[in-house]
Amino acid sequence: MRATPLSHSVGEGQAVRANTPHSPFPTPHSPLIALLFYEPSTRTRGAFEQACVLLGYHPLVITASASSIQKGESLADTVRTLCAQGVSAIALRHPQAGSAQLASRFSSVPVLNAGDGAHEHPTQALLDLYTLWEQFGKPDPETRWLEGRKIAIVGDIRHSRVARSNLTLLTQYGAQVWLCAPPTLLPDTPLPNAYLTHDIRQALEGAEVVMTLRLQIERMQQGLLTSLSAYRRDYQINAERLRNVHPNCMVMHPGPIQRGIEISDEVADSVASLILRQVQNGVYARLACLEWALGH
Ligand code: NCD
């Protein structure tokens, strides 16, 4: 793949192998990769854990609720501590935008961004791109193989790192990306190369892919969402809404899905749904990213 959206969060020149000089243990030992998660996660964390094991590493899982982060330890000190414990890489999920980049400044090993606030979620975009690449018949990856295809991302765009990373990556392959949300859930700042709308019919018209997003209530200030039933009425991706979109329209969702809100049961469980395929591809995407970061 041409794109390297992880590069901004991996410290320069820090791709190191297992059994590095950082390790305090005599070799051979089971090398470690830290999964440092300050926010809840099922798919991303699970996929990183599986990828670690498949690569022969032991995942050292640190969650904010059960670590010294609760006692006020800074991100910098937690990262320094993990490096002193001999980890070969760190996958970081954090509620603040820019945290992966910040962590890489204090880390002697590569830091992979597993989601930083509403900013970026590069491994999610890679797995989504890979899923589409499979669905479109594995075209030459060196070409702009999404050229002429319309992709609508619908939901809480304002708080979505998934939407931002997908916009960056999918447009590099030529996709026309539409971002659709109620006016209060569209971003304040302009997003390059995006078509923004609050009109769902305009967003869906001719779309070959519809990616729907969860309402991130935990990141919302009060007043951004007028009512859940109005949201469901105006923006839910359901069979009725997809009827005249595109004959082969595919539906994606990064998860977790909230059935009956942003997506109906019938669509989530339909043949058009790629949701579980995305989950499977999540393991491959993290495997590839870890291999690349570790310099294998
Ligand atoms: C997303 C995330 O955490 O950004 N999920 C994921 O990683 N698969 C989206 C969300 O939380 O709604």
Side-chain angles (χ1 to χ4, degrees):
M1 265 179 231
R2 280 174 302 156
T4 54
L6 282 162
S7 55
H8 69 283
S9 59
V10 174
E12 278 170 33
Q14 290 174 349
V16 288
R17 287 170 193 280
N19 302 333
T20 62
H22 309 292
S23 171
F25 305 109
T27 51
H29 70 280
S30 180
L32 299 169
I33 290 176
L35 308 184
L36 179 54
F37 276 63
Y38 287 71
E39 285 183 354
S41 170
T42 301
R43 279 148 286 269
T44 306
R45 200 186 106 180
F48 267 114
E49 282 197 57
Q50 283 191 57
C52 289
V53 172
L54 289 166
L55 286 171
Y57 286 75
H58 181 83
L60 186 65
V61 181
I62 311 286
T63 55
S65 55
S67 68
S68 289
I69 295 160
Q70 278 293 323
K71 301 178 186 170
E73 186 170 69
S74 69
L75 176 62
D77 282 330
T78 303
V79 165
R80 288 189 189 108
T81 301
L82 291 170
C83 292
Q85 286 180 328
V87 302
S88 300
I90 299 171
L92 174 69
R93 167 165 291 194
H94 196 281
Q96 242 157 356
S99 52
Q101 178 120 53
L102 179 74
S104 72
R105 287 208 248 137
F106 304 101
S107 178
S108 53
V109 298
V111 175
L112 288 91
N113 186 355
D116 61 331
H119 181 224
E120 291 279 359
H121 196 346
T123 62
Q124 179 70 41
L126 285 168
L127 79 89
D128 290 337
L129 181 80
Y130 183 77
T131 304
L132 289 176
W133 180 72
E134 276 185 337
Q135 296 302 315
F136 284 120
K138 303 188 176 177
D140 180 355
E142 297 298 324
T143 62
R144 283 168 63 85
W145 53 273
L146 282 170
E147 192 82 63
R149 300 198 194 269
K150 178 175 175 181
I151 298 178
I153 306 182
V154 181
D156 183 357
I157 305 291
R158 189 186 189 95
H159 301 103
S160 179
R161 50 198 177 204
V162 175
R164 283 170 182 75
S165 287
N166 265 300
L167 174 67
T168 307
L169 193 57
L170 299 178
T171 52
Q172 281 187 45
Y173 289 88
Q176 190 189 91
V177 176
W178 284 71
L179 304 178
C180 175
T184 50
L185 294 179
L186 282 171
D188 283 337
T189 46
L191 293 176
N193 304 319
Y195 294 82
L196 292 180
T197 181
H198 53 84
D199 179 347
I200 184 118
R201 266 183 300 185
Q202 190 185 23
L204 295 188
E205 195 181 12
E208 288 184 67
V209 180
V210 178
M211 188 181 293
T212 171
L213 302 172
R214 182 177 70 92
L215 291 170
Q216 299 194 34
I217 306 287
E218 74 278 14
R219 294 191 211 276
M220 269 184 212
Q221 290 159 2
Q222 274 193 336
L224 283 185
L225 188 68
T226 43
S227 101
L228 215 49
S229 55
Y231 180 83
R232 196 184 281 126
R233 183 194 62 216
D234 297 336
Y235 292 96
Q236 184 185 83
I237 300 303
N238 52 39
E240 175 60 29
R241 200 152 256 145
L242 290 182
R243 193 144 294 147
N244 297 317
V245 169
H246 189 280
N248 303 316
C249 180
M250 295 176 270
V251 177
M252 302 178 84
H253 194 311
I257 62 174
Q258 291 184 313
R259 288 170 178 263
I261 299 182
E262 74 273 9
I263 189 168
S264 69
D265 279 330
E266 55 185 341
V267 169
D269 301 329
S270 70
V271 288
S273 166
L274 304 179
I275 298 171
L276 296 178
R277 192 72 204 142
Q278 289 172 269
V279 174
Q280 289 165 346
N281 287 337
V283 178
Y284 309 139
R286 274 78 193 214
L287 250 174
C289 291
L290 282 171
E291 277 202 304
W292 174 74
L294 292 162
H296 291 342

